[in-house]
C-alpha cells in the first residue's frame, strides 16, 4: 500500500452510490468488491457489522488517502482509544481475496436484539432469504 493510503472495507452508507459515499468520494483512489466473515444488522438508517459470526457480508474495499480515513473516522464518530465509540476500527481480511485493511465494527453486545440482514448486503437489505 502506498504511503498515506489506507484500505477500508465499507458495507453500508459509505458504499459507492449510497448516501454517505460523498463523505469519502474525494479521497478514494481505488474501489473493488469484497466480502468479510460476519453478520450484518439493521440499526435503521445504517447497518452494523459484527465480525466472527457465521456468514458473509458484502461490501467494497476503498483505498483512500489519510484525509479519507479521517473523514470516515469523523462520520463514524470513532476516536482511537476512546471507550465509548459506537463503532471500533479494526483490521480484517477479505473472506475470498488476498486483501486486508480496516473496517468499522459494532460490538456484539450492542447488536443483540437488532434485526439481522439475512442477505449480508445493505443494498439488498429488504430481501428475505
Amino acid at each position: 500500500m502506498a504511503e498515506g493510503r489506507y484500505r477500508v472495507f465499507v458495507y453500508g452508507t459509505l458504499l459507492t452510490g449510497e448516501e454517505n459515499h460523498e463523505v469519502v468520494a474525494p479521497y478514494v483512489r481505488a474501489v473493488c468488491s469484497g466480502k468479510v466473515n460476519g453478520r450484518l444488522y439493521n440499526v435503521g438508517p445504517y447497518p452494523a457489522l459484527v465480525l466472527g459470526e457465521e456468514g458473509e457480508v458484502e461490501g467494497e474495499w476503498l483505498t483512500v488517502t489519510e484525509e479519507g480515513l479521517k473523514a470516515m473516522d469523523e462520520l463514524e464518530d470513532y476516536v482511537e482509544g476512546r471507550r465509548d465509540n459506537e463503532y471500533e476500527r479494526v483490521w480484517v481480511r477479505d473472506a475470498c481475496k488476498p486483501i486486508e485493511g480496516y473496517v468499522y465494527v459494532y460490538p456484539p453486545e450492542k447488536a443483540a436484539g437488532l434485526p439481522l440482514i439475512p442477505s449480508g448486503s445493505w443494498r439488498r437489505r429488504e430481501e428475505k432469504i
Side-chain angles (χ1 to χ4, degrees), residues 42-72:
N42 196 333
V43 182
Y46 54 89
L49 168 64
V50 175
L51 293 176
E53 295 190 23
E54 197 171 304
E56 287 184 340
V57 173
E58 295 177 10
E60 295 172 338
W61 287 100
L62 304 181
T63 301
V64 299
T65 62
E66 187 171 351
E67 293 83 5
L69 186 64
K70 288 177 183 176
M72 286 191 273

Side-chain angles (χ1 to χ4, degrees), residues 2 13 34 41 67 85 88 93 107 110 124:
T13 65
Y41 294 89
E67 293 83 5
N85 289 318
E88 289 299 323
R93 288 193 166 113
K110 284 187 181 178
R124 296 183 293 114

Side-chain angles (χ1 to χ4, degrees), residues 88-102:
E88 289 299 323
R89 180 165 37 92
V90 300
W91 198 257
V92 68
R93 288 193 166 113
D94 191 274
C96 305
K97 300 175 182 178
I99 299 174
E100 56 187 67
Y102 290 116

